[in-house]
Amino acid sequence: MTNPKQTTDLLSRRRFLQTAGVAAGATVGALALPRAADAAAAPMPKKWDVTTDVLVVGTGFAGLAAAIEARDAKADVIVIDKMPVPGGNSAINGGDFGAAGTQMQKALGIEDSPELMLKDMMKAGAYLNHPELARTVAEQSAAALEWSQTYVGAQFDRVNFHGGHSVKRAHQTVQRSGAGLVTKQLEKARALGAKIELRTKLVRLVADKDGRIVGAEVRRGYKFPDEASGTPAFIKARKAVVLASGGFSNDVKLRQMYDPRLTDQFTSTNQPGATGEAIMAACMAGAMDLQMDWIQLGPWTSPDEKGFGYVPQFVERVVGYGLMVDPATGKRFFKESGNRKERADAIILLGHPALILADSTNTTKMVDPGQLKGALDNGSLRKFDTIEELAKAYNMPVDVFVEQVKRWNTYVEQKKDPELDCLIFKDAVPNVTPPFYAARLWPRVHHTMGGLAINKDAQVIGFDLKPIVGLYAAGEATGGVHGAVRLGSCAMADCVVFGRIAGKNAAKQAAWG
């Protein structure tokens, strides 16, 4: 995993959406935004500085998948990113790719199917997922993983579990980070001839008199977060623009428009540039947004480290092996294998950080040594020689906590949790072998499920409920795939599946001009 210091060392984000007009538009929701044809009121440039077939905004999983597919279809491609380094959130995520019915699963004896993955996604999403979008991800997930391996060259070596899934289906990169896929995508895109421009920020989409998207106004040489930096330029997209710009977890003002509870009390796991202005630019060009108020908090982050950090890799690996407790009581309070929203909500209701722990056997068997060392070195994960010592370190009632661990261990032996219905894995063993590892947990804003409305062809939908010609989107910039809750590891699948679809279809789009 990329060192979280790489993220936190970047300059803090200056608010992009400061005008009353934009704020009001975000407050009243999508219906107050203009129709696609209204975008023609913005003037067309007198001249285009650059011309390409397909313009891609964003250098994460989705944007690079789109660029690769568009180049394979012989389209000229320019990929822009406002940040000084490529990859966005994709480069710092945990590298878990949710896919169903894969060869890696079969080799491990894991029985899975796209139907079961879809069922899990819909259940976690409170059935607010747009079925055709969720189905597309589930049905194409295995093929997207194979493409990432055999064509792009990324390496995956283990299959993990994430809360809310029925089986282990999170295929993890050998680097234990999304950078393991992003770096290979960058290499492939460049080898195919895609041009990648960093420090180039999207300002607005340009539409013709009929509402077709024909290009974009950008600022080249942009220095995040200085909104006045850079030189204005216009990029003509003969075929289409693909928005793969990510979400808005790191813009407190914007996210509070949809969920006022998400004040700056809640920090984010995201890289600083996850601020959502590309989504807003599309809305101002007539695109419909949806489900913007469904914002996910990660329940596995620690208040003892910044950003995404190392602790999530410990937490998600020991779910189903170790136990989570309320340190104020020394007792369990919610099932460890619950989905992200369930666990985050339960921790927030405590009003203080929770605690998760596992013994040496369960920890070293499941957690990557590099991630374990990183968490121990920065102090977010601690180890203890005895359960009693652990209890005292967190001011827990010792006798109550010791009894709780004993009770959990009986559940592990039985492979069934009659108390809270946690999913316990077959290879889990009782937590009796020192040292014992523990980390505090407090949620951070992690993923925005809402975004631009798209169809199964990755076309962005306008307010006439028809596709906007020349505009495609993929990844976290879109809404509808995950409904109320995104299951862990489904982001990589979503990005690669719809990124590939967007790139292919953008290249097929009839050229204008």
Side-chain angles (χ1 to χ4, degrees):
M1 177 182 294
T2 301
N3 190 322
K5 191 175 186 296
Q6 294 175 351
T7 298
T8 56
D9 280 352
L10 291 172
L11 296 173
S12 62
R13 168 77 163 101
R14 194 187 81 180
R15 294 295 150 255
F16 172 78
L17 298 175
Q18 293 179 328
T19 66
V22 174
T27 302
V28 300
L31 293 180
L33 294 167
R35 297 172 296 111
D38 293 337
M44 290 277 282
K46 293 181 179 179
K47 80 176 192 67
W48 298 95
D49 297 280
V50 182
T51 297
T52 188
D53 290 328
V54 176
L55 172 64
V56 179
V57 182
T59 57
F61 300 134
L64 294 173
I68 291 168
E69 290 290 3
R71 279 300 297 146
D72 275 340
K74 309 305 180 185
D76 291 334
V77 177
I78 294 176
V79 187
I80 64 172
D81 196 303
K82 70 182 182 185
M83 301 304 285
V85 293
N89 283 335
S90 297
I92 60 171
N93 92 336
D96 277 352
F97 194 128
T102 68
Q103 292 302 315
M104 288 178 66
Q105 285 179 309
K106 292 173 183 176
L108 294 170
I110 300 171
E111 296 184 10
D112 197 10
S113 68
E115 293 76 19
L116 183 57
M117 182 173 175
L118 175 61
K119 181 180 178 181
D120 289 344
M121 290 175 68
M122 296 296 292
K123 180 180 179 181
Y127 301 95
L128 294 175
N129 323 57
H130 288 211
E132 72 171 6
L133 301 182
R135 183 177 297 107
T136 298
V137 171
E139 291 180 347
Q140 298 188 29
S141 60
L145 176 67
E146 183 179 358
W147 177 83
S148 299
Q149 294 171 299
T150 61
Y151 185 63
V152 177
Q155 294 180 299
F156 299 80
D157 67 346
R158 66 190 298 175
V159 183
N160 297 316
F161 176 81
H162 281 260
H165 289 274
S166 295
V167 298
K168 292 184 178 182
R169 62 166 69 99
H171 303 70
Q172 193 172 41
T173 62
V174 297
Q175 294 84 0
R176 308 295 180 246
S177 166
L181 176 56
V182 166
T183 54
K184 292 297 183 180
Q185 287 181 299
L186 281 166
E187 291 173 7
K188 176 65 72 172
R190 285 172 171 147
L192 291 171
K195 298 176 182 178
I196 297 173
E197 295 187 14
L198 302 177
R199 296 188 185 275
T200 302
K201 180 180 182 293
L202 175 68
V203 175
R204 69 177 177 95
L205 296 171
V206 179
D208 66 13
K209 62 182 178 60
D210 297 317
R212 174 185 174 136
I213 302 303
V214 296
E217 180 182 352
V218 302
R219 294 189 76 89
R220 284 174 146 176
Y222 171 75
K223 296 180 180 180
F224 179 86
D226 183 0
E227 299 302 328
S229 63
T231 303
F234 289 90
I235 301 176
K236 177 181 179 180
R238 285 188 295 251
K239 291 178 177 286
V241 174
V242 177
L243 293 181
S245 52
F248 55 95
S249 290
N250 242 332
D251 196 311
V252 176
K253 188 172 182 179
L254 178 55
R255 76 193 190 204
Q256 279 194 276
M257 292 295 179
Y258 299 100
D259 189 340
R261 298 170 297 176
L262 298 182
T263 66
D264 55 9
Q265 175 189 359
F266 294 97
T267 56
S268 174
T269 63
N270 288 200
Q271 55 94 13
T275 47
E277 61 263 33
I279 297 174
M280 295 293 100
C283 290
M284 295 307 294
M288 178 178 285
D289 63 338
L290 52 82
Q291 298 180 342
M292 295 282 280
D293 51 348
W294 286 108
I295 299 174
Q296 180 179 90
L297 278 67
W300 21 244
T301 49
S302 171
D304 300 317
E305 61 180 350
K306 296 180 179 180
F308 189 80
Y310 293 100
V311 167
Q313 291 281 18
F314 169 74
V315 177
E316 291 298 78
R317 299 296 84 85
V318 301
V319 162
Y321 296 86
L323 63 158
M324 180 172 66
V325 300
D326 175 359
T329 65
K331 298 180 179 180
R332 295 172 67 218
F333 61 97
F334 195 79
K335 64 178 179 180
E336 292 79 358
S337 61
N339 71 43
R340 290 174 171 182
K341 178 173 174 53
E342 292 172 337
R343 285 185 285 163
D345 287 350
I347 294 170
I348 291 171
L349 282 174
L350 293 180
H352 54 258
L355 193 71
I356 192 166
L357 63 136
D359 77 342
S360 178
T361 301
N362 286 304
T363 297
T364 56
K365 176 170 57 179
M366 298 305 302
V367 183
D368 179 79
Q371 303 300 323
L372 189 64
K373 183 178 185 302
L376 289 169
D377 286 350
N378 73 14
S380 57
L381 184 69
R382 300 172 64 184
K383 63 179 180 179
F384 304 90
D385 292 329
T386 68
I387 288 293
E388 290 80 5
E389 180 186 347
L390 190 158
K392 292 175 182 177
Y394 293 101
N395 297 314
M396 289 190 285
V398 177
D399 292 343
V400 174
F401 176 66
V402 170
E403 179 59 33
Q404 175 66 90
V405 174
K406 289 180 180 178
R407 188 179 310 123
W408 168 259
N409 286 337
T410 65
Y411 300 161
V412 172
E413 290 174 338
Q414 300 165 7
K415 299 297 183 283
K416 183 176 178 59
D417 173 18
E419 186 177 359
L420 296 175
D421 196 32
C422 175
L423 175 62
I424 299 175
F425 291 103
K426 293 179 180 179
D427 59 341
V429 298
N431 289 267
V432 296
T433 306
F436 300 91
Y437 296 85
R440 296 198 308 152
L441 306 178
W442 185 253
R444 286 196 175 102
V445 180
H446 181 61
H447 189 94
T448 50
M449 274 74 68
L452 301 175
I454 61 169
N455 60 21
K456 62 182 179 61
D457 296 317
Q459 295 172 295
V460 175
I461 306 301
F463 284 93
D464 57 0
L465 302 183
K466 296 178 181 178
I468 296 175
V469 179
L471 187 59
Y472 296 81
E476 196 177 350
T478 70
V481 174
H482 305 288
V485 178
R486 177 181 67 80
L487 286 178
S489 79
C490 286
M492 288 185 77
D494 174 21
C495 288
V496 175
V497 167
F498 273 109
R500 295 183 69 196
I501 291 171
K504 290 177 181 178
N505 290 332
K508 293 176 184 177
Q509 180 73 56
W512 70 279

